[in-house]
Amino acid sequence: MRYALSSPAERYLERRIGPGVPQEDVCLAEISPPPSRLPDHPLVERVPETRVRYSRGESFPDLLALRSGRIEAFPDGVAFPTEETEVLDLLSHARRIGARVIPWGGGTSVVGGVNPGLDEHPTLTVSLERMGRLRDLDEESMLATFESGVRGPWLEAQLRGWGYTLGHFPQSFEYSTLGGWVATRSSGQQSLHYGRIEDLFRGGRLLTPEGPMDLPPFPASAAGPDLRHVVLGSEGRLGLITEVQVRVHPLPEEERFWGIVFPGWEDGIEAVRIMAQDPRPLSMLRLSDAEETNSLLHQALNPYVRRLLEGLLARRGLREEKSLLILGATGDSRTVRGARARAAEISKARKGVAIGDVAGREWRNNRFRVPYLRNTLWEKGWAVDTLETATVWSAVVPTARDVLRALRSTLDGERVLAMAHLSHVYPTGASLYFTFFFWLAADPESTLERWRALKAAASRAIVARGATISHQHGVGADHLPYLEKEKGARGVAMLEALARAVDPDATMNPGKLIPNPSDPL
């Protein structure tokens, strides 16, 4: 799928990083994986094209590999179970033949979380995408039970028929799955109101190589550590999540999104911090730095409207360093009005200028389309990728400064357009989301090496500031080198011990989240 790049936005990119070199893609049907090492099984497909399509997720290296045809490893087969008994059969089959198992939800991992590695053992990818039914709705307890392979739109469609919503809207909402959200500790765009997935996940069922594990939906328990938090963020290393119970919400009476522009990003950060620590129920706060604000205005508005808006803002003293805040409020009409009035009061004290609902509507209309922009950019010869972190309020500005400096200065003599926004705010801190653009080289390996340099420089800047290596996308393989810095050696050892308890033969999703032993334990 594509998201069109406006002519003003294209000219903006040309000015900032130079013209791109259009790329030619390899047809996936022309890629020939090596012969499968898996024996016959009625649930396993070994068709080459299927193996190619399930060989990579959605990270930048994945995109590069699929478009260039330079794929190092493939699953030996892909299974599409439709019920739990089939998943159990597949796990038993994999254990008997010594195969590794990669759980697949929507395949939207951007950290290498679903990629097979070069392994002497055969690899079986188990896709749960055909397991997406609403199993039960307990309206009295406000709990819904789903099969874990349900994608975002189908989950919401099933709930909305009963007058409910989960309210979890990650940018990958259209393709990612409920089980994937749990496995990677996902965060939705309106997490300020509805909560992150760990706030919504109440229980479920995990199938491990050693047997099933049930997680009851207790409202509270003092019976030791909460094992639900072991499954949250486990990234398939402990087993396959087949059933998920979530806390649901009645559909809101009203939901509004609108925009406010501040003279500078730090002015906006201070306003957002106060709003995040205020009890008024806003559902979203997304604050773009000056670079992202200017790029959004070039992409979203026609030149006449943009010049008109910028002229109006300039007369209020808001010029090149201006920072756009998109706000959302969710609830009954009175709540929404009160939240909007309080946000206006806080913003006005920091010289914020309200620009009405147009910016909010534009954001909402395109909230799930932006990831498709990278396909358009690729065809024009530009690369784009993102990364994110989270830190306490006192470290937000220096962390953002260091990461942006790292991205802009890593490639000697080459311009990199880097920008940031603040989102998913909390009383104690916020997440930082970075987007960076650079031009594609004619040689895919050169492009990959430049991406690796940018990713490594930004990651080092993040951990040097004591921020988390991943706020919402998991660890996968790409963030694995930085995990011990965050968890400590003893923390990593605890994760390894958990994996051994349920997967002593190291069957599940090797090389992701925690180091994989060289030999089965």
Side-chain angles (χ1 to χ4, degrees):
M1 188 171 176
R2 299 173 77 258
Y3 177 36
L5 182 69
S6 69
S7 295
E10 185 171 349
R11 291 192 294 270
Y12 180 79
L13 280 174
E14 287 180 346
R15 289 197 306 271
R16 300 309 306 269
I17 59 176
V21 179
Q23 304 289 302
E24 291 187 11
D25 292 349
V26 171
C27 176
L28 291 183
E30 297 174 359
I31 302 173
S32 298
S36 172
R37 297 169 291 176
L38 289 174
D40 288 340
H41 188 283
L43 294 174
V44 179
E45 287 189 22
R46 295 176 296 176
V47 178
E49 186 174 349
T50 302
R51 293 171 58 201
V52 171
R53 290 188 179 278
Y54 286 79
S55 66
R56 290 292 182 272
E58 294 290 337
S59 70
F60 183 81
D62 295 339
L63 175 72
L64 186 63
L66 289 168
R67 286 185 174 272
S68 68
R70 300 188 182 194
I71 302 173
E72 293 182 349
F74 303 83
D76 291 275
V78 184
F80 301 91
T82 59
E83 57 186 36
E84 187 178 283
T85 55
E86 293 179 344
V87 180
L88 286 167
D89 181 28
L90 289 163
L91 282 176
S92 297
H93 174 66
R95 196 167 190 180
R96 281 194 305 271
I97 64 175
R100 305 304 190 216
V101 176
I102 297 178
W104 183 285
T108 59
S109 172
V110 294
V111 293
V114 294
N115 300 355
L118 294 170
D119 198 315
E120 62 182 13
H121 301 272
T123 300
L124 171 63
T125 292
V126 178
S127 171
L128 300 178
E129 61 196 86
R130 295 179 184 173
M131 296 176 61
R133 288 159 288 198
L134 173 63
R135 287 295 192 184
D136 181 64
L137 179 62
D138 180 349
E139 295 190 80
E140 191 172 3
S141 305
M142 302 288 282
L143 290 172
T145 303
F146 283 95
E147 292 176 328
S148 63
V150 63
R151 291 185 177 184
W154 181 225
L155 179 148
E156 283 294 324
Q158 292 180 84
L159 285 180
R160 285 169 186 252
W162 293 91
Y164 296 96
T165 180
L166 180 63
H168 191 74
F169 303 110
Q171 199 165 63
S172 61
F173 171 77
E174 295 173 309
Y175 292 100
S176 55
T177 64
L178 177 57
W181 300 343
V182 173
T184 59
R185 296 188 79 103
S186 169
S187 188
Q189 292 168 340
Q190 292 171 257
S191 61
L192 185 58
H193 176 74
Y194 293 109
R196 287 166 53 94
I197 196 63
E198 58 259 40
D199 303 307
L200 301 168
F201 175 56
R202 306 312 304 157
R205 187 165 165 86
L206 177 75
L207 302 188
T208 82
E210 289 289 283
M213 180 178 174
D214 289 310
L215 304 163
F218 298 127
S221 171
D226 191 340
L227 295 181
R228 290 175 294 194
H229 283 270
V230 172
V231 175
L232 279 159
S234 57
E235 298 189 30
R237 288 305 305 266
L238 306 182
L240 289 102
I241 301 167
T242 56
E243 188 174 277
V244 179
Q245 290 171 305
V246 286
R247 176 170 60 92
V248 297
H249 307 263
L251 285 169
E253 177 184 320
E254 187 174 347
E255 193 163 65
R256 299 285 294 276
F257 298 92
W258 67 101
I260 296 173
V261 180
F262 291 90
W265 201 38
E266 292 190 30
D267 300 300
I269 287 174
E270 180 63 11
V272 168
R273 181 188 65 78
I274 294 170
M275 292 180 201
Q277 295 170 346
D278 191 89
R280 300 298 174 96
L282 291 165
S283 62
M284 192 191 76
L285 292 164
R286 176 185 169 127
L287 179 73
S288 297
D289 70 358
E291 192 72 72
E292 186 172 279
T293 296
N294 287 325
S295 69
L296 288 172
L297 293 178
H298 278 81
Q299 170 67 6
L301 303 177
N302 69 56
Y304 173 77
V305 175
R306 189 184 75 250
R307 286 194 297 271
L308 181 63
L309 175 61
E310 289 179 337
L312 292 171
L313 292 173
R315 286 195 286 276
R316 300 286 297 273
L318 283 71
R319 300 183 184 276
E320 284 301 311
E321 295 303 311
K322 57 186 175 292
S323 178
L324 172 64
L325 172 65
I326 302 294
L327 308 87
T330 302
D332 57 50
S333 298
R334 181 178 179 181
T335 297
V336 171
R337 286 197 305 272
R340 189 161 182 165
R342 176 59 177 153
E345 178 185 335
I346 294 169
S347 301
K348 187 176 181 180
R350 280 139 196 94
K351 301 180 181 179
V353 176
I355 58 172
D357 294 357
V358 175
R361 284 198 300 269
E362 180 69 23
W363 173 84
R364 186 172 192 175
N365 290 340
N366 295 299
R367 65 192 295 188
F368 304 126
R369 297 180 188 175
V370 173
Y372 304 124
L373 188 60
R374 73 176 187 174
N375 296 324
T376 307
L377 291 168
W378 181 280
E379 293 163 8
K380 294 180 180 295
W382 291 310
V384 60
D385 199 19
T386 61
L387 54 93
E388 32 77 29
T389 183
T391 190
V392 295
W393 283 114
S394 57
V396 163
V397 171
T399 301
R401 182 188 61 234
D402 289 357
V403 174
L404 290 170
R405 182 187 295 130
L407 289 169
R408 290 166 181 165
S409 63
T410 292
L411 302 184
D412 292 337
E414 180 179 333
R415 287 178 289 172
V416 174
L417 177 61
M419 57 191 69
H421 68 253
L422 198 75
S423 60
H424 305 296
V425 300
Y426 310 92
T428 58
S431 74
L432 285 161
Y433 194 96
F434 301 92
T435 304
F436 56 99
F437 302 79
F438 58 104
W439 52 264
L440 294 166
D443 173 32
E445 189 59 36
S446 175
T447 296
L448 182 59
E449 286 304 314
R450 285 155 57 238
W451 173 85
R452 284 174 177 156
L454 290 164
K455 178 76 171 181
S459 297
R460 288 193 298 267
I462 286 170
V463 298
R465 279 288 175 183
T468 180
I469 194 60
S470 179
H471 169 261
Q472 67 206 58
H473 288 144
V475 174
D478 293 351
H479 294 154
L480 188 57
Y482 308 97
L483 186 65
E484 187 171 326
K485 179 73 173 178
E486 181 166 332
K487 299 292 187 189
R490 293 183 188 220
V492 172
M494 288 179 68
L495 294 176
E496 292 171 336
L498 285 168
R500 286 196 297 271
V502 295
D503 183 18
D505 296 324
T507 298
M508 300 302 306
N509 211 13
K512 318 304 188 318
L513 178 63
I514 51 179
N516 206 57
S518 56
D519 298 305
L521 298 169

